[in-house]
Structure formats: structure tokens, C-alpha cells
Amino acid sequence: MTSGARTRDRSQDERTVRALLDAYGRTYAAEAGIRLRDTPQPLYRLLVLSCLLSARIRASTAVAAARALHDAGLRDARRMETATWQQRVDALGAGGYRRYDERTATQLGEGARLVLDRYGGDLRRMREAAGGDTEALRSLLREVPGIGPAGADIFLREAQAVWPQVAPYLDGKALQGAERLGLPADPAELSRLVGEGEHAPLAAALVRVSLDRRGADALRDGPRDVSGEGHTG
């Protein structure tokens, strides 16, 4: 392959990624109304959202349930843990999260207790405990009830917006989207196609397009309104 061909390929990849971000680049945290910052409450809300999204349920339902928990005042680990099981069930139900509401209400209570006991309700302490090792951090996340491999991946895909030390975090689900679009299926190569601070939107966009069978065609045909429905884990 000539240098010129490589340049043209890179240019095409950059155009594809820009169209991808324009169409799909809203993070799930933003959709859930979480103004993500490196502070305890938004990080905890992201953990809850990751738990909800990792179930086999529509992403829009998980997002609505996360909003309903927030509206019910269950915005941090302390409030989640002190709420009754029924209050958690009712909040999940208000968000339409009924198929898994009872099990999830239990997991949210147990998870909040673990976050309080080990990290004082502050997930930045979990990050510190991992010592800068992303795989160690992923393992610690999986110790939280309700956060399995998929939930840990969801959390890290979104948290890289405020935890740049884990970026680029592009897991198997995101790489499926890259392959669908003919983009490099390599995190390092993909990360070079976006600017600083765009890794979380890129990860979300790739996951959304991986869940939309018509997504790649839509990008070729031009912009359209998309929701990226499906199971995000």
C-alpha cells in the first residue's frame, strides 16, 4: 500500500468517525441526565446506570429508570442504602424497569452498602485502590453486586470522560461497532481518529451503532435521528 493510499484511508476513517459522532455520539450518562464530573455523586449515579444498562432490557428503559431513581432522591450511595427495598422497587417501576425490578432493588441496596463500607461512598477511592491499573479497576467494579463484566465495561466506557487515565477504553462491544463500519478494530488506532476528550462519546457511538443493524447504512446514506436501542453490555 502506498503512502498516499494510507493517507486516503486515514482521511476516510476520520470522516466516518465524524459522521458517527454526529449521529450517535451522545453518552448514556448524558442521556440519563448525569452531568458527569469526577465527584462522588455523579460517579455513583453512573455506577447505578451501568447496573441498569447491563440487564437484558432496552437501553431507553434503563435510562428512564436511572432518571426515576434520581427523581426519587436516590442519588448517592447513602440515600440508596437507607431507602427501603420497596422504595427502590417503586422508583424502578416508575421508570418502567419492571422485569428485573425486585432483583435489581436488592442489588442496588447491597451495592450501595459495599460502596459505603469500602470506599466511603466515593468511587474515586476505588480508582485509587486499583493503583492506575485498568484491569484491577475493572475487577473491583465487578465486586459490586449487580455489576458483572458488562456493567464494568459500561462504567469504564463512560467514566473515561472524567478518568482520562483509563482512556481509550473501547471494549469488545465498541469494537463490534468499529468492525461494522469498516474502522480499525484496535483501540489505539481508533483513539487517534478523535480529539482529546472524545473517547467516551466515541465508545458510546460505537456501541449504539453496533446495536442498530441499519446504523452503518444510515451513516453512508446521511445523518438521521437514532437512539441506539438494545442491550449495551
Side-chain angles (χ1 to χ4, degrees):
M1 181 181 291
T2 67
S3 176
R6 285 196 299 271
T7 301
R8 286 194 298 274
D9 288 346
R10 171 65 180 267
S11 177
Q12 179 60 52
D13 287 347
E14 289 175 342
R15 288 195 296 273
T16 299
V17 165
R18 194 50 46 190
L20 171 71
L21 289 173
D22 288 344
Y24 290 86
R26 190 182 189 195
T27 65
Y28 288 96
E31 188 176 346
I34 302 171
R35 296 182 63 183
L36 198 57
R37 299 185 301 276
D38 191 20
T39 55
Q41 188 177 112
L43 289 170
Y44 178 72
R45 290 183 63 198
L46 176 59
L47 185 72
V48 170
L49 176 63
S50 300
C51 175
L52 300 174
L53 283 169
S54 61
R56 293 191 176 278
I57 198 163
R58 291 174 68 88
S60 59
T61 301
V63 166
R67 286 181 172 273
L69 287 164
H70 175 270
D71 293 344
L74 308 183
R75 303 170 186 176
D76 56 40
R78 179 68 62 189
R79 293 174 183 176
M80 185 69 77
E81 196 273 335
T82 57
T84 67
W85 177 83
Q86 191 60 54
Q87 286 173 324
R88 293 191 291 267
V89 168
D90 290 345
L92 290 167
Y97 202 90
R98 297 185 179 88
R99 183 177 176 188
Y100 302 103
D101 54 352
E102 295 186 356
R103 184 186 71 182
T104 302
T106 299
Q107 291 173 333
L108 290 175
E110 293 174 347
R113 171 48 54 193
L114 182 144
V115 171
L116 288 166
D117 288 347
R118 294 193 186 176
Y119 308 111
D122 187 347
L123 291 171
R124 294 175 299 182
R125 297 181 183 176
M126 178 189 286
R127 181 189 64 200
E128 292 167 4
D133 185 328
T134 300
E135 273 306 308
L137 179 55
R138 188 172 184 270
S139 294
L140 290 175
L141 284 164
R142 291 180 60 185
E143 293 177 1
V144 179
I147 301 292
D153 286 338
I154 293 166
F155 181 91
L156 291 170
R157 287 196 307 251
E158 300 271 319
Q160 66 184 319
V162 292
W163 287 358
Q165 61 269 37
V166 307
Y169 195 88
L170 299 166
D171 64 324
K173 196 73 173 180
L175 296 181
Q176 286 178 17
E179 290 177 352
R180 177 170 297 223
L181 294 174
L183 291 168
D186 176 78
E189 288 188 48
L190 285 168
S191 71
R192 288 193 284 269
L193 298 173
V194 295
E196 185 176 353
E198 289 188 308
H199 292 107
L202 174 63
L206 289 170
V207 169
R208 289 180 187 276
V209 81
S210 77
L211 298 169
D212 186 344
R213 294 180 181 179
R214 297 174 297 173
D217 290 339
L219 287 172
R220 285 191 292 270
D221 294 343
R224 68 185 181 93
D225 184 22
V226 292
S227 61
E229 282 293 357
H231 177 227
T232 63

